[in-house]
Amino acid sequence: MSIKIALAGNPNCGKTTLFNALTGSNQFVGNWPGVTVEKKEGKLKGHKDVIIMDLPGIYSLSPYTLEEVVARNYLIGERPDAILNIVDGTNIERNLYLSTQLMELGIPVIMAVNMMDIVEKSGDKIHINKLSEKLGCEVVEISALKGTGIQKAAEKAVALASQKNSKPPVHKFAVEVESVLDSIEEKLGSDIPEEQKRFFAIKLLEKDEKIQTQMKRVPDVTEEITRIERELDDDTESIITNERYVYISSIIDQCFTRNKKNGLTVSDKIDRIVTNRFLALPIFAAVMFLVYYVSVTTVGTWATDWANDGLFGEGFSFFGIDVPGVPAVVGGILTAVGCADWLQGLILDGIVAGVGAVLGFVPQMLVLFIFLAFLESCGYMARVAFIMDRIFRKFGLSGKSFIPMLIGTGCGVPGVMASRTIENDRDRKMTIMTTTFIPCGAKLPIIALIAGALFGGASWVAPSAYFVGIAAIICSGIILKKTKMFAGDPAPFVMELPAYHMPTAGNVLRSMWERGWSFIKKAGTIILLSTIVVWFTSYFGWVDGQFRMLEAMELDHSILAKMGSAISWLFIPLGWGDWKSAVAAITGLVAKENVVGTFGILYGFAEVAEDGSEIWGTLAGSMTAVAAYSFLVFNLLCAPCFAAMGAIKREMNNARWFWFAVGYQTLLAYVVALCVYQVGTLITTGSFGFFTVVAFALIAGFIYLLVRPLKEKSGSKVKLTSVAGAK
């Protein structure tokens, strides 16, 4: 029988770093049953029968956020054999609040005080033995980042979990609350295990609605709670919270000695600059410019050129040995086995061309993911959320909305799912609608293709795409907050700012690979199926009343050409009304990477990409630079891929809200792309026409929606007056 050990702790306490170090590659990622908060579990290295569960980072077990509900339900319902409580040693007093709750569960607890290397460096001292004595549980020192002490902590947790008959210590509060706790414990009945009664009693006092609903059968509980509230002249929830902090304060002075000589830490000094009111945004812009410049324009481009021109092109040289590319190898095998022409066309022109065109951008994406992983691990991205909260709050959003958008830079699906952490329903819905405006990893190939084909690989294209997404989010926040559906103050935002530290190479590479592997798996499933469909509809059609496979010069007669021609007129005002571009944009709804894969098939990418310039020339010949940027903007802002749309539907949990979200995204994308093309064409060529007038009218309407006053203020006054009059 396997042993289950749960990792629990505050956000940014190093819990995930510890989990990665303990489990290595033996990890399984999924969703908690019934919800979309990600869970991770893995097997402890060297122990096939020990499962480590990484719970969401939480501040308490009170059910205020989805993560807290998930963690609390897992601990109560699943009852792991032991809890490894990770505590940030640099903020130990605040972290102990959750620890007091965990010890009430009746589950064996091992406390691991993390970041001890930073504590020692600062000159502070944590008296581990004294802390263990006061808490009544074993306490160990660790540094998850450096790997010191982590195996010892895991082994102690396994040993404690193996002692089935051991009774873990139960935290006791001060005498003022003790009597009512004892009274409620007695009345909970024999159907609740003895070790859980204290937790249930405290949760009843904290007015936990779920526990109260379950405990309605317990007699006289309401009277007991009313009695203590009357005696102490306060509500029991506040009393319990106060007692926790009184208890923590009573032990912290004996267990923790602060270095009085400590001045500003290195993190504080850095934050004075990077979170400065005036410097924060320019620094953030410069950082993102550098990230995308290196990822898309320099190192990333060199790696992608090698993949496209060598691996999926003519071939490459390896230590003086000429190695043929994938098309040549696959083509040789198919010819050798006498493969039929249509099947050879499917494999070479469909699968290899389409999937290869997408996979060719994997090196570029991996470079980007390395940078993002480094920024997240070192602590800078937490500061960005803090910086953006000041910005977002002015436009009706909370800084919490930035977290899903940050996650969405990798993939829109987990980005949308992360919106579940936002308590305010209006803010959550708005975040869901706007998260996918941020360019995800799947949109990077589109950005790179347009930048290379029409702008000579200009370094400004990729960062501009990122800031177009941010502008769309900010403008959407302003406009939507002025509607009745989304009116109201944004939710408060509290976030831990971890100390800056140098991430380990293992953690950065693991994060990079997880994101990259997710992209590669999608290329092997959804994109593979899509390219087969695109190939079939591209190379089959009716010629002279006969349905047959088409030659390369007959693609205008294909099924796909007919379908594309039927809708291409919609995109004429946007500057790219040819059927190939229209089809590429539509197939992007299946998966954004399909845009490049579709162009690869329609332009014969596998055959002409010997030096990587042919597809760029063909694409550049089909649209102007302004039209290409319009095409890029439309694909960045319009409805996301089917997978992300599915996530939006699940999170909205309402068909009308789902269609409103998708409709808003697509309409905004169309309007912005139209304005970009029409105004851009007017500036570059002086061309003026009917749709130029439409564009200026749309811009005027857009500005009005941004600056119009809130009507809810006057409306609320009328409401209050009518209520007062009714009284």
Side-chain angles (χ1 to χ4, degrees), residues 289-332:
F289 179 86
L290 180 64
V291 166
Y292 277 88
Y293 178 78
V294 176
S295 302
V296 178
T297 308
T298 55
V299 177
T301 298
W302 302 333
T304 292
D305 286 347
W306 172 85
N308 283 333
D309 303 344
L311 187 61
F312 293 103
E314 187 68 17
F316 57 94
S317 179
F318 185 72
F319 290 105
I321 302 173
D322 291 331
V323 180
V326 172
V329 173
V330 174

mmCIF file of all heavy atoms in Angstrom, residues 289-332:
data_model
loop_
_atom_site.group_PDB
_atom_site.id
_atom_site.type_symbol
_atom_site.label_atom_id
_atom_site.label_comp_id
_atom_site.label_asym_id
_atom_site.label_seq_id
_atom_site.Cartn_x
_atom_site.Cartn_y
_atom_site.Cartn_z
ATOM 1 N N PHE A 289 11.325 43.454 -24.271
ATOM 2 C CA PHE A 289 11.934 43.687 -25.587
ATOM 3 C C PHE A 289 13.169 42.817 -25.755
ATOM 4 O O PHE A 289 13.360 42.180 -26.802
ATOM 5 C CB PHE A 289 12.298 45.161 -25.752
ATOM 6 C CG PHE A 289 12.953 45.474 -27.077
ATOM 7 C CD1 PHE A 289 12.182 45.759 -28.193
ATOM 8 C CD2 PHE A 289 14.330 45.455 -27.212
ATOM 9 C CE1 PHE A 289 12.774 46.023 -29.414
ATOM 10 C CE2 PHE A 289 14.947 45.733 -28.430
ATOM 11 C CZ PHE A 289 14.160 46.015 -29.536
ATOM 12 N N LEU A 290 13.997 42.778 -24.705
ATOM 13 C CA LEU A 290 15.212 41.960 -24.765
ATOM 14 C C LEU A 290 14.882 40.483 -24.910
ATOM 15 O O LEU A 290 15.501 39.767 -25.710
ATOM 16 C CB LEU A 290 16.045 42.195 -23.503
ATOM 17 C CG LEU A 290 17.357 41.405 -23.406
ATOM 18 C CD1 LEU A 290 18.301 41.828 -24.528
ATOM 19 C CD2 LEU A 290 18.016 41.616 -22.046
ATOM 20 N N VAL A 291 13.874 40.028 -24.143
ATOM 21 C CA VAL A 291 13.471 38.617 -24.203
ATOM 22 C C VAL A 291 13.033 38.246 -25.612
ATOM 23 O O VAL A 291 13.480 37.239 -26.177
ATOM 24 C CB VAL A 291 12.337 38.344 -23.195
ATOM 25 C CG1 VAL A 291 11.680 36.998 -23.482
ATOM 26 C CG2 VAL A 291 12.880 38.373 -21.772
ATOM 27 N N TYR A 292 12.150 39.054 -26.201
ATOM 28 C CA TYR A 292 11.656 38.733 -27.543
ATOM 29 C C TYR A 292 12.708 38.993 -28.612
ATOM 30 O O TYR A 292 12.727 38.308 -29.640
ATOM 31 C CB TYR A 292 10.373 39.524 -27.836
ATOM 32 C CG TYR A 292 9.145 38.855 -27.271
ATOM 33 C CD1 TYR A 292 8.720 39.105 -25.974
ATOM 34 C CD2 TYR A 292 8.421 37.940 -28.022
ATOM 35 C CE1 TYR A 292 7.609 38.484 -25.441
ATOM 36 C CE2 TYR A 292 7.310 37.306 -27.503
ATOM 37 C CZ TYR A 292 6.904 37.586 -26.220
ATOM 38 O OH TYR A 292 5.807 36.946 -25.703
ATOM 39 N N TYR A 293 13.579 39.954 -28.372
ATOM 40 C CA TYR A 293 14.640 40.220 -29.344
ATOM 41 C C TYR A 293 15.554 39.010 -29.464
ATOM 42 O O TYR A 293 15.877 38.559 -30.573
ATOM 43 C CB TYR A 293 15.442 41.447 -28.921
ATOM 44 C CG TYR A 293 16.606 41.764 -29.843
ATOM 45 C CD1 TYR A 293 16.387 42.394 -31.064
ATOM 46 C CD2 TYR A 293 17.902 41.415 -29.496
ATOM 47 C CE1 TYR A 293 17.451 42.677 -31.917
ATOM 48 C CE2 TYR A 293 18.966 41.692 -30.336
ATOM 49 C CZ TYR A 293 18.738 42.329 -31.545
ATOM 50 O OH TYR A 293 19.776 42.593 -32.396
ATOM 51 N N VAL A 294 15.972 38.475 -28.328
ATOM 52 C CA VAL A 294 16.851 37.301 -28.339
ATOM 53 C C VAL A 294 16.109 36.071 -28.833
ATOM 54 O O VAL A 294 16.635 35.283 -29.628
ATOM 55 C CB VAL A 294 17.436 37.048 -26.930
ATOM 56 C CG1 VAL A 294 18.269 35.767 -26.921
ATOM 57 C CG2 VAL A 294 18.295 38.218 -26.493
ATOM 58 N N SER A 295 14.858 35.908 -28.410
ATOM 59 C CA SER A 295 14.099 34.698 -28.736
ATOM 60 C C SER A 295 13.707 34.642 -30.205
ATOM 61 O O SER A 295 13.744 33.579 -30.825
ATOM 62 C CB SER A 295 12.838 34.611 -27.870
ATOM 63 O OG SER A 295 13.160 34.608 -26.508
ATOM 64 N N VAL A 296 13.305 35.778 -30.756
ATOM 65 C CA VAL A 296 12.736 35.788 -32.100
ATOM 66 C C VAL A 296 13.713 36.276 -33.150
ATOM 67 O O VAL A 296 13.702 35.803 -34.282
ATOM 68 C CB VAL A 296 11.447 36.655 -32.125
ATOM 69 C CG1 VAL A 296 10.856 36.717 -33.524
ATOM 70 C CG2 VAL A 296 10.422 36.101 -31.151
ATOM 71 N N THR A 297 14.572 37.211 -32.782
ATOM 72 C CA THR A 297 15.399 37.863 -33.795
ATOM 73 C C THR A 297 16.817 37.309 -33.898
ATOM 74 O O THR A 297 17.381 37.244 -34.990
ATOM 75 C CB THR A 297 15.473 39.384 -33.509
ATOM 76 O OG1 THR A 297 14.152 39.877 -33.360
ATOM 77 C CG2 THR A 297 16.146 40.114 -34.653
ATOM 78 N N THR A 298 17.408 36.903 -32.787
ATOM 79 C CA THR A 298 18.822 36.482 -32.838
ATOM 80 C C THR A 298 18.960 34.982 -32.583
ATOM 81 O O THR A 298 18.855 34.182 -33.498
ATOM 82 C CB THR A 298 19.641 37.291 -31.817
ATOM 83 O OG1 THR A 298 19.052 37.151 -30.514
ATOM 84 C CG2 THR A 298 19.658 38.756 -32.185
ATOM 85 N N VAL A 299 19.196 34.608 -31.328
ATOM 86 C CA VAL A 299 19.471 33.197 -31.017
ATOM 87 C C VAL A 299 18.342 32.287 -31.467
ATOM 88 O O VAL A 299 18.573 31.235 -32.077
ATOM 89 C CB VAL A 299 19.715 33.033 -29.489
ATOM 90 C CG1 VAL A 299 19.926 31.560 -29.144
ATOM 91 C CG2 VAL A 299 20.902 33.858 -29.052
ATOM 92 N N GLY A 300 17.101 32.689 -31.167
ATOM 93 C CA GLY A 300 15.952 31.867 -31.549
ATOM 94 C C GLY A 300 15.852 31.683 -33.051
ATOM 95 O O GLY A 300 15.526 30.601 -33.538
ATOM 96 N N THR A 301 16.141 32.753 -33.791
ATOM 97 C CA THR A 301 16.072 32.679 -35.252
ATOM 98 C C THR A 301 17.148 31.759 -35.810
ATOM 99 O O THR A 301 16.897 30.986 -36.738
ATOM 100 C CB THR A 301 16.221 34.085 -35.862
ATOM 101 O OG1 THR A 301 15.129 34.888 -35.416
ATOM 102 C CG2 THR A 301 16.202 34.026 -37.383
ATOM 103 N N TRP A 302 18.363 31.827 -35.246
ATOM 104 C CA TRP A 302 19.430 30.932 -35.722
ATOM 105 C C TRP A 302 19.031 29.469 -35.529
ATOM 106 O O TRP A 302 19.219 28.642 -36.423
ATOM 107 C CB TRP A 302 20.735 31.219 -34.975
ATOM 108 C CG TRP A 302 21.204 32.639 -35.105
ATOM 109 C CD1 TRP A 302 20.932 33.501 -36.147
ATOM 110 C CD2 TRP A 302 21.987 33.378 -34.169
ATOM 111 N NE1 TRP A 302 21.500 34.719 -35.906
ATOM 112 C CE2 TRP A 302 22.165 34.693 -34.709
ATOM 113 C CE3 TRP A 302 22.575 33.069 -32.947
ATOM 114 C CZ2 TRP A 302 22.887 35.676 -34.056
ATOM 115 C CZ3 TRP A 302 23.310 34.050 -32.286
ATOM 116 C CH2 TRP A 302 23.461 35.336 -32.835
ATOM 117 N N ALA A 303 18.462 29.176 -34.361
ATOM 118 C CA ALA A 303 18.060 27.795 -34.079
ATOM 119 C C ALA A 303 16.908 27.366 -34.980
ATOM 120 O O ALA A 303 16.889 26.244 -35.498
ATOM 121 C CB ALA A 303 17.661 27.659 -32.611
ATOM 122 N N THR A 304 15.952 28.268 -35.186
ATOM 123 C CA THR A 304 14.802 27.941 -36.031
ATOM 124 C C THR A 304 15.220 27.800 -37.493
ATOM 125 O O THR A 304 14.708 26.934 -38.211
ATOM 126 C CB THR A 304 13.710 29.010 -35.871
ATOM 127 O OG1 THR A 304 13.170 28.910 -34.553
ATOM 128 C CG2 THR A 304 12.583 28.808 -36.872
ATOM 129 N N ASP A 305 16.129 28.657 -37.954
ATOM 130 C CA ASP A 305 16.626 28.536 -39.331
ATOM 131 C C ASP A 305 17.280 27.172 -39.544
ATOM 132 O O ASP A 305 17.101 26.538 -40.598
ATOM 133 C CB ASP A 305 17.631 29.652 -39.636
ATOM 134 C CG ASP A 305 16.955 30.999 -39.821
ATOM 135 O OD1 ASP A 305 15.709 31.008 -39.958
ATOM 136 O OD2 ASP A 305 17.659 32.022 -39.818
ATOM 137 N N TRP A 306 18.026 26.727 -38.525
ATOM 138 C CA TRP A 306 18.652 25.410 -38.645
ATOM 139 C C TRP A 306 17.584 24.323 -38.730
ATOM 140 O O TRP A 306 17.691 23.389 -39.541
ATOM 141 C CB TRP A 306 19.561 25.145 -37.447
ATOM 142 C CG TRP A 306 20.085 23.733 -37.427
ATOM 143 C CD1 TRP A 306 21.182 23.256 -38.089
ATOM 144 C CD2 TRP A 306 19.511 22.622 -36.734
ATOM 145 N NE1 TRP A 306 21.329 21.902 -37.857
ATOM 146 C CE2 TRP A 306 20.319 21.486 -37.029
ATOM 147 C CE3 TRP A 306 18.406 22.464 -35.907
ATOM 148 C CZ2 TRP A 306 20.034 20.223 -36.517
ATOM 149 C CZ3 TRP A 306 18.129 21.203 -35.384
ATOM 150 C CH2 TRP A 306 18.940 20.109 -35.695
ATOM 151 N N ALA A 307 16.536 24.446 -37.916
ATOM 152 C CA ALA A 307 15.474 23.435 -37.923
ATOM 153 C C ALA A 307 14.725 23.440 -39.250
ATOM 154 O O ALA A 307 14.467 22.385 -39.844
ATOM 155 C CB ALA A 307 14.512 23.672 -36.762
ATOM 156 N N ASN A 308 14.380 24.638 -39.742
ATOM 157 C CA ASN A 308 13.608 24.734 -40.987
ATOM 158 C C ASN A 308 14.441 24.386 -42.214
ATOM 159 O O ASN A 308 14.011 23.628 -43.086
ATOM 160 C CB ASN A 308 13.028 26.151 -41.140
ATOM 161 C CG ASN A 308 11.824 26.387 -40.253
ATOM 162 O OD1 ASN A 308 11.100 25.451 -39.901
ATOM 163 N ND2 ASN A 308 11.604 27.631 -39.872
ATOM 164 N N ASP A 309 15.639 24.949 -42.287
ATOM 165 C CA ASP A 309 16.457 24.756 -43.479
ATOM 166 C C ASP A 309 17.211 23.430 -43.468
ATOM 167 O O ASP A 309 17.460 22.838 -44.522
ATOM 168 C CB ASP A 309 17.482 25.901 -43.614
ATOM 169 C CG ASP A 309 16.814 27.261 -43.659
ATOM 170 O OD1 ASP A 309 15.587 27.291 -43.894
ATOM 171 O OD2 ASP A 309 17.494 28.274 -43.441
ATOM 172 N N GLY A 310 17.596 22.983 -42.259
ATOM 173 C CA GLY A 310 18.370 21.755 -42.165
ATOM 174 C C GLY A 310 17.534 20.546 -41.846
ATOM 175 O O GLY A 310 17.348 19.663 -42.681
ATOM 176 N N LEU A 311 16.986 20.509 -40.631
ATOM 177 C CA LEU A 311 16.259 19.327 -40.187
ATOM 178 C C LEU A 311 15.028 19.051 -41.044
ATOM 179 O O LEU A 311 14.784 17.914 -41.463
ATOM 180 C CB LEU A 311 15.846 19.502 -38.715
ATOM 181 C CG LEU A 311 15.218 18.279 -38.038
ATOM 182 C CD1 LEU A 311 16.187 17.109 -38.033
ATOM 183 C CD2 LEU A 311 14.787 18.627 -36.625
ATOM 184 N N PHE A 312 14.218 20.092 -41.312
ATOM 185 C CA PHE A 312 13.018 19.902 -42.118
ATOM 186 C C PHE A 312 13.196 20.462 -43.532
ATOM 187 O O PHE A 312 12.221 20.686 -44.237
ATOM 188 C CB PHE A 312 11.819 20.571 -41.444
ATOM 189 C CG PHE A 312 11.421 19.920 -40.149
ATOM 190 C CD1 PHE A 312 11.753 20.490 -38.942
ATOM 191 C CD2 PHE A 312 10.730 18.712 -40.148
ATOM 192 C CE1 PHE A 312 11.401 19.888 -37.745
ATOM 193 C CE2 PHE A 312 10.379 18.101 -38.956
ATOM 194 C CZ PHE A 312 10.716 18.692 -37.751
ATOM 195 N N GLY A 313 14.446 20.687 -43.928
ATOM 196 C CA GLY A 313 14.735 21.207 -45.264
ATOM 197 C C GLY A 313 15.676 20.295 -46.024
ATOM 198 O O GLY A 313 15.515 19.074 -46.055
ATOM 199 N N GLU A 314 16.704 20.893 -46.586
ATOM 200 C CA GLU A 314 17.623 20.159 -47.443
ATOM 201 C C GLU A 314 18.531 19.224 -46.661
ATOM 202 O O GLU A 314 18.949 18.186 -47.155
ATOM 203 C CB GLU A 314 18.477 21.169 -48.238
ATOM 204 C CG GLU A 314 19.364 20.530 -49.300
ATOM 205 C CD GLU A 314 18.560 19.948 -50.443
ATOM 206 O OE1 GLU A 314 17.380 20.307 -50.583
ATOM 207 O OE2 GLU A 314 19.116 19.122 -51.190
ATOM 208 N N GLY A 315 18.855 19.594 -45.427
ATOM 209 C CA GLY A 315 19.761 18.787 -44.616
ATOM 210 C C GLY A 315 20.798 19.671 -43.944
ATOM 211 O O GLY A 315 20.784 20.891 -44.079
ATOM 212 N N PHE A 316 21.694 19.069 -43.181
ATOM 213 C CA PHE A 316 22.701 19.838 -42.465
ATOM 214 C C PHE A 316 23.981 19.021 -42.347
ATOM 215 O O PHE A 316 24.003 17.814 -42.602
ATOM 216 C CB PHE A 316 22.187 20.235 -41.076
ATOM 217 C CG PHE A 316 21.773 19.065 -40.224
ATOM 218 C CD1 PHE A 316 22.667 18.480 -39.336
ATOM 219 C CD2 PHE A 316 20.489 18.550 -40.309
ATOM 220 C CE1 PHE A 316 22.288 17.406 -38.554
ATOM 221 C CE2 PHE A 316 20.098 17.468 -39.527
ATOM 222 C CZ PHE A 316 20.996 16.890 -38.649
ATOM 223 N N SER A 317 25.038 19.710 -41.972
ATOM 224 C CA SER A 317 26.332 19.060 -41.833
ATOM 225 C C SER A 317 26.634 18.847 -40.363
ATOM 226 O O SER A 317 26.479 19.759 -39.549
ATOM 227 C CB SER A 317 27.430 19.911 -42.469
ATOM 228 O OG SER A 317 28.697 19.300 -42.309
ATOM 229 N N PHE A 318 27.035 17.640 -39.998
ATOM 230 C CA PHE A 318 27.330 17.307 -38.608
ATOM 231 C C PHE A 318 28.743 16.744 -38.542
ATOM 232 O O PHE A 318 29.008 15.623 -38.997
ATOM 233 C CB PHE A 318 26.321 16.279 -38.092
ATOM 234 C CG PHE A 318 26.475 15.948 -36.631
ATOM 235 C CD1 PHE A 318 26.101 16.867 -35.663
ATOM 236 C CD2 PHE A 318 27.008 14.725 -36.233
ATOM 237 C CE1 PHE A 318 26.248 16.569 -34.315
ATOM 238 C CE2 PHE A 318 27.157 14.414 -34.890
ATOM 239 C CZ PHE A 318 26.774 15.346 -33.934
ATOM 240 N N PHE A 319 29.694 17.581 -38.025
ATOM 241 C CA PHE A 319 31.111 17.209 -37.961
ATOM 242 C C PHE A 319 31.623 16.731 -39.321
ATOM 243 O O PHE A 319 32.294 15.713 -39.437
ATOM 244 C CB PHE A 319 31.338 16.116 -36.916
ATOM 245 C CG PHE A 319 31.173 16.596 -35.502
ATOM 246 C CD1 PHE A 319 30.040 16.267 -34.771
ATOM 247 C CD2 PHE A 319 32.144 17.391 -34.895
ATOM 248 C CE1 PHE A 319 29.872 16.712 -33.478
ATOM 249 C CE2 PHE A 319 31.990 17.835 -33.591
ATOM 250 C CZ PHE A 319 30.850 17.512 -32.874
ATOM 251 N N GLY A 320 31.261 17.515 -40.352
ATOM 252 C CA GLY A 320 31.740 17.220 -41.695
ATOM 253 C C GLY A 320 30.945 16.163 -42.428
ATOM 254 O O GLY A 320 31.226 15.865 -43.599
ATOM 255 N N ILE A 321 29.950 15.592 -41.772
ATOM 256 C CA ILE A 321 29.122 14.563 -42.410
ATOM 257 C C ILE A 321 27.812 15.203 -42.843
ATOM 258 O O ILE A 321 27.120 15.840 -42.036
ATOM 259 C CB ILE A 321 28.844 13.396 -41.442
ATOM 260 C CG1 ILE A 321 30.147 12.777 -40.959
ATOM 261 C CG2 ILE A 321 27.951 12.356 -42.102
ATOM 262 C CD1 ILE A 321 29.966 11.735 -39.886
ATOM 263 N N ASP A 322 27.447 15.063 -44.107
ATOM 264 C CA ASP A 322 26.193 15.611 -44.620
ATOM 265 C C ASP A 322 25.028 14.715 -44.190
ATOM 266 O O ASP A 322 24.980 13.530 -44.526
ATOM 267 C CB ASP A 322 26.230 15.725 -46.143
ATOM 268 C CG ASP A 322 27.211 16.796 -46.611
ATOM 269 O OD1 ASP A 322 27.420 17.762 -45.843
ATOM 270 O OD2 ASP A 322 27.754 16.661 -47.723
ATOM 271 N N VAL A 323 24.111 15.299 -43.442
ATOM 272 C CA VAL A 323 22.936 14.566 -42.964
ATOM 273 C C VAL A 323 21.715 15.082 -43.712
ATOM 274 O O VAL A 323 21.437 16.288 -43.676
ATOM 275 C CB VAL A 323 22.732 14.762 -41.441
ATOM 276 C CG1 VAL A 323 21.508 13.987 -40.960
ATOM 277 C CG2 VAL A 323 23.979 14.335 -40.690
ATOM 278 N N PRO A 324 20.979 14.226 -44.416
ATOM 279 C CA PRO A 324 19.805 14.700 -45.162
ATOM 280 C C PRO A 324 18.687 15.129 -44.219
ATOM 281 O O PRO A 324 18.594 14.670 -43.083
ATOM 282 C CB PRO A 324 19.389 13.468 -45.984
ATOM 283 C CG PRO A 324 19.925 12.308 -45.209
ATOM 284 C CD PRO A 324 21.194 12.785 -44.563
ATOM 285 N N GLY A 325 17.821 16.026 -44.720
ATOM 286 C CA GLY A 325 16.696 16.494 -43.923
ATOM 287 C C GLY A 325 15.586 15.464 -43.870
ATOM 288 O O GLY A 325 15.592 14.454 -44.583
ATOM 289 N N VAL A 326 14.606 15.725 -43.008
ATOM 290 C CA VAL A 326 13.482 14.795 -42.831
ATOM 291 C C VAL A 326 12.743 14.536 -44.136
ATOM 292 O O VAL A 326 12.434 13.377 -44.462
ATOM 293 C CB VAL A 326 12.516 15.331 -41.745
ATOM 294 C CG1 VAL A 326 11.243 14.484 -41.690
ATOM 295 C CG2 VAL A 326 13.204 15.350 -40.385
ATOM 296 N N PRO A 327 12.402 15.578 -44.965
ATOM 297 C CA PRO A 327 11.689 15.302 -46.224
ATOM 298 C C PRO A 327 12.453 14.336 -47.135
ATOM 299 O O PRO A 327 11.856 13.446 -47.745
ATOM 300 C CB PRO A 327 11.563 16.690 -46.865
ATOM 301 C CG PRO A 327 11.626 17.642 -45.719
ATOM 302 C CD PRO A 327 12.582 17.026 -44.757
ATOM 303 N N ALA A 328 13.785 14.514 -47.210
ATOM 304 C CA ALA A 328 14.578 13.639 -48.084
ATOM 305 C C ALA A 328 14.596 12.209 -47.563
ATOM 306 O O ALA A 328 14.462 11.242 -48.338
ATOM 307 C CB ALA A 328 16.001 14.174 -48.205
ATOM 308 N N VAL A 329 14.734 12.063 -46.253
ATOM 309 C CA VAL A 329 14.761 10.721 -45.661
ATOM 310 C C VAL A 329 13.425 10.028 -45.843
ATOM 311 O O VAL A 329 13.352 8.873 -46.289
ATOM 312 C CB VAL A 329 15.112 10.807 -44.155
ATOM 313 C CG1 VAL A 329 14.979 9.439 -43.499
ATOM 314 C CG2 VAL A 329 16.524 11.345 -43.966
ATOM 315 N N VAL A 330 12.331 10.736 -45.501
ATOM 316 C CA VAL A 330 11.000 10.149 -45.632
ATOM 317 C C VAL A 330 10.677 9.860 -47.094
ATOM 318 O O VAL A 330 10.134 8.793 -47.433
ATOM 319 C CB VAL A 330 9.936 11.091 -45.020
ATOM 320 C CG1 VAL A 330 8.527 10.556 -45.280
ATOM 321 C CG2 VAL A 330 10.171 11.255 -43.529
ATOM 322 N N GLY A 331 11.036 10.808 -47.989
ATOM 323 C CA GLY A 331 10.795 10.614 -49.415
ATOM 324 C C GLY A 331 11.531 9.401 -49.958
ATOM 325 O O GLY A 331 10.989 8.619 -50.762
ATOM 326 N N GLY A 332 12.783 9.219 -49.513
ATOM 327 C CA GLY A 332 13.562 8.064 -49.952
ATOM 328 C C GLY A 332 12.937 6.754 -49.511
ATOM 329 O O GLY A 332 12.883 5.773 -50.277
#
